[in-house]
Amino acid sequence: MIVVNLDVMMAKRKMSLSQLSEKVDVTLANLSILKNNKAKAVRFSTLEAICAALDCQPGDLLEFVPEERGGR
């Protein structure tokens, strides 16, 4: 599964969700969905805007975590 580490990058940059929302022109609700790993998809334009605002790379925000096998 893909884990979104938006909260980690925001903390490193000392930026609030509302500040990021203003910079990337994405609603608080949509950023919150992304931050809480509830998003099913993200547009490249949104990812690009977030990376620009947080001065980071997509790999800083997105992490692949293999799901455990056997129990699921």
Side-chain angles (χ1 to χ4, degrees), residues 6 10 15-39 46 50:
L6 183 58
M10 288 171 37
M15 188 177 297
S16 72
L17 201 59
S18 2
Q19 290 171 319
L20 183 61
S21 174
E22 288 177 18
K23 285 187 175 229
V24 299
D25 197 29
V26 174
T27 65
L28 278 171
N30 284 338
L31 282 178
S32 182
I33 288 168
L34 189 59
K35 184 178 83 105
N36 293 314
N37 287 299
K38 302 291 184 196
T46 302
I50 291 171

Side-chain angles (χ1 to χ4, degrees), residues 2-72:
I2 302 294
V3 175
V4 181
N5 294 314
L6 183 58
D7 53 343
V8 174
M9 286 308 300
M10 288 171 37
K12 285 182 179 179
R13 301 298 189 256
K14 295 179 173 59
M15 188 177 297
S16 72
L17 201 59
S18 2
Q19 290 171 319
L20 183 61
S21 174
E22 288 177 18
K23 285 187 175 229
V24 299
D25 197 29
V26 174
T27 65
L28 278 171
N30 284 338
L31 282 178
S32 182
I33 288 168
L34 189 59
K35 184 178 83 105
N36 293 314
N37 287 299
K38 302 291 184 196
K40 298 291 182 193
V42 61
R43 291 180 184 203
F44 280 132
S45 58
T46 302
L47 185 58
E48 183 179 340
I50 291 171
C51 286
L54 293 175
D55 189 28
C56 67
Q57 294 294 312
D60 296 327
L61 297 171
L62 304 175
E63 177 184 2
F64 173 70
V65 178
E67 293 186 31
E68 291 185 37
R69 301 181 199 279
R72 296 180 185 187

